[in-house]
Amino acid sequence: MQQAAFDSEGNHIRWTEAPGAEPARVYLHGLGSMSAVYHAHVAARPELVGRRSLFVDLPGHGTSDRPRGFGYTLEEHADAVAVVLDETGAAGAELIAHSMGGAVAIVLAYRRPDLVSRLVLTEANLDAFPPLTAGSSGIAAYGEDEFAAGGYARVLESVGPLWAATMRLADPRALHRSAVGLRRGSAPVMRSILEKLAVERVFLQGELSGDLEGRESLEAAGVSVVTVPGAGHNVMFDNPDAFVAAVAGTA
C-alpha cells in the first residue's frame, strides 16, 4: 500500500500498485466501494497483466483517510486522484473507472488533461440530479446528520451484501457528502465534458441497465459506447470477458 497527502491537513489517499509497463492503468471505484475489490480480478487477466496498475481508494472510502473538513465534491475527489498521479509520475494514464469513479475520472481529465490519455468508463454518472432510484439519490435524500445517526445503517441493510461489504468501510459523512456531490454534478456537467474531451473514450453500458440516455450524442462526439450482454451496473463482475476486452482495446 502507498499513500500521499491530499489536503493541507496531511490526510492521505491510499492505493495499491502492481508494477509493469507504461502507460499506467488507474482503477477508480464507485460510491461506497473500493478499487481493488472491483478491479483486481480483471487486472490480473492475461490480456491486461504486465501493465502498471494502480487501485486507488477515493477519500472517505476503503483504506484512504476520511477528514471531517473535506467537501467530497467531484472536483475535490478528482484533485485527490491527481495527487496520486503526480506523486507516482503516472502522467498520461488510462483511467478505468466505475460509476461515481467515472464521473471523477471525467472531471480529472477536464481539470488535468496532462494526466489522462484514455478513459474506460463503466456506467459513469453523466448528469446531475439522477433518478430517485439511484443509490446516490437515496443517500442524498437524508440530511447529513440524519444519515450519520441512522440512515447509514438503514442503507447498509437495503443495498445487498456485495455493496454493503465495501460501503460499511466508508465513513458515513464522507459517503453522504460524496453522494450529494455526485447528485449535484460538476460544472460543466460531466456529459458535456465527456463529449468535448480529445482523448480516447469508451463507455460500457450493461445490457440489463437499459438504454443509455443520449447515446447518439455521445457517439457523434466520438465516444465508443459498448452495450455489454448479460451485464448490469457491475459489468466487471457480470461479464468480465467483455470488460477485459474493452480495457485492452480489443472489444
Side-chain angles (χ1 to χ4, degrees):
M1 185 187 302
Q2 300 185 49
Q3 64 180 20
F6 65 88
D7 66 5
S8 60
E9 298 178 353
N11 289 291
H12 289 87
I13 185 170
R14 296 186 175 88
W15 66 97
T16 54
E17 180 172 344
E22 302 286 351
R25 292 191 178 114
V26 178
Y27 294 87
L28 300 178
H29 60 82
L31 181 69
S33 300
M34 293 178 64
S35 284
V37 172
Y38 276 70
H39 294 115
H41 68 292
V42 291
R45 289 276 295 263
E47 304 95 318
L48 301 182
V49 76
R51 285 281 292 277
R52 186 183 185 192
S53 300
L54 285 72
F55 305 94
V56 180
D57 287 344
L58 296 172
H61 292 72
T63 59
S64 290
D65 288 344
R66 47 211 62 206
R68 286 294 180 91
F70 195 65
Y72 299 95
T73 64
L74 290 175
E75 290 82 2
E76 287 171 306
H77 278 303
D79 289 347
V81 176
V83 169
V84 174
L85 301 189
D86 285 332
E87 180 78 12
T88 58
E94 298 182 6
L95 302 188
I96 319 302
H98 180 225
S99 199
M100 183 185 81
V104 172
I106 291 168
V107 173
L108 175 58
Y110 174 71
R111 292 168 74 86
R112 290 291 306 275
D114 57 305
L115 295 179
V116 180
S117 64
R118 182 174 184 248
L119 293 175
V120 180
L121 308 171
T122 304
E123 297 215 351
N125 298 77
L126 299 180
D127 302 303
F129 303 105
L132 293 177
T133 54
S136 57
S137 293
I139 293 171
Y142 290 92
E144 183 176 318
D145 290 340
E146 179 189 14
F147 184 74
Y152 177 58
R154 289 192 290 274
V155 168
L156 283 177
E157 291 177 355
S158 68
V159 297
L162 182 65
W163 196 8
T166 57
M167 186 182 289
R168 66 188 180 188
L169 302 178
D171 178 79
R173 293 184 183 275
L175 183 64
H176 184 269
R177 292 181 196 176
S178 295
V180 170
L182 180 57
R183 189 168 186 270
R184 182 186 304 121
S186 61
V189 75
M190 298 82 77
R191 183 182 296 272
S192 177
I193 294 174
L194 182 61
E195 290 181 348
K196 294 176 182 177
L197 290 174
V199 299
E200 181 185 353
R201 296 147 293 162
V202 179
F203 193 103
L204 303 181
Q205 177 75 2
E207 177 188 30
L208 304 180
S209 297
D211 295 333
L212 175 62
E213 182 179 350
R215 175 174 186 147
E216 295 80 6
S217 179
L218 290 172
E219 291 178 329
V223 180
S224 176
V225 180
V226 180
T227 300
V228 182
H233 187 60
N234 297 323
V235 173
M236 68 290 296
F237 294 145
D238 297 337
N239 192 336
D241 290 341
F243 185 85
V244 168
V247 174
T250 59

